[in-house]
Amino acid sequence: MSTTDFAEFERSGWARRSGTYDGGFGAMTAGLHEALLDAAGVARGTRLLEVGCGSGRLAAAALARRAEVVATDGVREMVAVAARALPGARVLHAELPGLPFADGEFDAAVGAFVINHVPDPAAAVRELAQVVRPGGRVVLSCWDTLARNRAQGVFFDAVAAAGATPPADLPGTSPFARHATPSDFAALLAEAGLTDVRVEQVGWTHRVDPGQWWRDVLAGTVLTSSLIEGQDAGTVARIRAAYDGLVAAYAAGDGSVALPVAALLAVGTRAADGEMTGRQQGS
Ligand SMILES: C[S@@+](CC[C@H](N)C(=O)[O-])C[C@H]1O[C@@H](n2cnc3c(N)ncnc32)[C@H](O)[C@@H]1O
């Protein structure tokens, strides 16, 4: 699949999910939002750019800190959802890569679980590094491995256990996939010229009714849901039965499950004027 086709797959997928993302999958991703804002140093008066803002939960948390927020998303239907959730805030359409902002316009830039959806991650990080001021931070997150990130891993394992093969029109993997380890994610930021780069493995627990989580993932993801929706009814039933068995391992005793969620949180700083970055020094 070409990068143009991948971008269109993501665009149309997120447009389809825009009305159903927030309450389910969006509530789960929000478990990392405060940590992302802390890593970006967001406080009163911080000029913050958010990319891939989805339904607007992280921007709402930043506004609660009295930051000056510009929330953006690459999908117009998501921008409309976020604008409704953030009355009075600046919510704009802006796709990565292709940001319409000036050099150094922001104190910090944050993207929660968006870099794994962009067609050219290296170009996207270079742009983010450019729109923050010297000394400003770029903070990004992606999912950790499916073995650690069980909230999504149980779906992929259920598909495999059911013997289902991915529908032919799905992208096999995302352009970001090869950067989704702590060292490769760090290298991606360093190659964009960012300094003081660190990548942390972070985790939290998502407690949810297992039947609800099945519906949340089908209504709130693009690739994972397409993997299941593209199957015939008998195969979907086998995937669901395998999911029920796998998710039971996380039973919390009250009918809900406590699913481990795992992510990588990456932070880099734009070099101060005159400071040499590792990339400029050739390291
Ligand atoms: C998994 S959602 C994350 C939303 C939000 N950041 C959160 O934490 O809930 C991914 C978001 O990235 C947006 N997106 C996908 N491709 C994009 C691109 N190339 N540029 C900007 N946003 C994009 C989608 O529309 C969607 O809102």
Side-chain angles (χ1 to χ4, degrees):
M1 186 180 259
S2 71
T3 52
T4 313
D5 291 346
F6 179 80
E8 186 44 37
F9 170 79
E10 290 285 336
R11 228 180 266 125
S12 61
W14 288 109
R16 207 166 65 243
R17 300 296 178 228
S18 59
T20 50
Y21 174 77
D22 182 67
F25 205 78
M28 185 276 278
T29 62
L32 192 63
H33 287 173
E34 292 294 338
L36 289 162
L37 293 175
D38 289 346
V42 174
R44 179 185 289 269
T46 302
R47 295 169 304 160
L48 177 70
L49 170 66
E50 188 193 3
V51 288
C53 69
S55 54
R57 283 176 180 254
L58 182 141
L63 289 166
R65 295 185 183 206
R66 303 280 182 263
E68 293 173 20
V69 183
V70 177
T72 68
D73 198 278
V75 172
R76 291 184 192 282
E77 290 81 352
M78 276 294 194
V79 173
V81 170
R84 280 197 296 278
L86 302 165
R90 281 186 71 196
V91 186
L92 310 173
H93 175 255
E95 203 169 2
L96 280 165
L99 295 178
F101 302 110
D103 191 308
E105 193 171 334
F106 297 95
D107 295 316
V110 176
F113 306 105
V114 58
I115 194 68
N116 42 316
H117 297 290
V118 308
D120 186 343
V125 180
R126 281 197 300 273
E127 281 189 356
L128 292 168
Q130 195 74 33
V131 298
V132 297
R133 61 168 169 76
R137 290 184 205 159
V138 174
V139 178
L140 295 168
S141 65
C142 71
W143 301 114
D144 205 339
T145 61
L146 294 170
R148 292 171 58 87
N149 185 28
R150 296 308 295 151
Q152 277 176 281
V154 287
F155 285 86
F156 286 82
D157 289 356
V159 168
T165 47
D169 55 344
L170 285 196
T173 182
S174 91
F176 179 77
R178 68 192 176 88
H179 304 291
T181 67
S183 58
D184 293 317
F185 203 0
L188 182 70
L189 269 64
E191 280 159 19
L194 294 165
T195 61
D196 298 327
V197 174
R198 64 186 164 83
V199 177
E200 269 176 66
Q201 288 185 295
V202 289
W204 65 101
T205 302
H206 187 55
R207 203 166 172 141
V208 64
D209 172 84
Q212 185 61 50
W213 185 236
W214 171 270
R215 292 188 291 279
D216 289 344
V217 168
L218 288 189
T221 62
V222 171
L223 184 62
T224 314
S225 63
S226 302
L227 206 55
I228 296 170
E229 283 176 340
Q231 309 290 344
D232 61 58
T235 308
V236 172
R238 286 204 313 280
I239 297 171
R240 175 63 198 256
Y243 165 84
D244 288 340
L246 286 160
V247 90
Y250 302 98
D254 59 355
S256 71
V257 288
L259 295 168
V261 185
L264 304 181
L265 189 163
V267 190
T269 302
R270 180 170 174 177
D273 285 338
E275 189 184 330
M276 291 256 281
T277 67
R279 188 173 58 124
Q280 288 161 337
Q281 292 168 55
S283 65

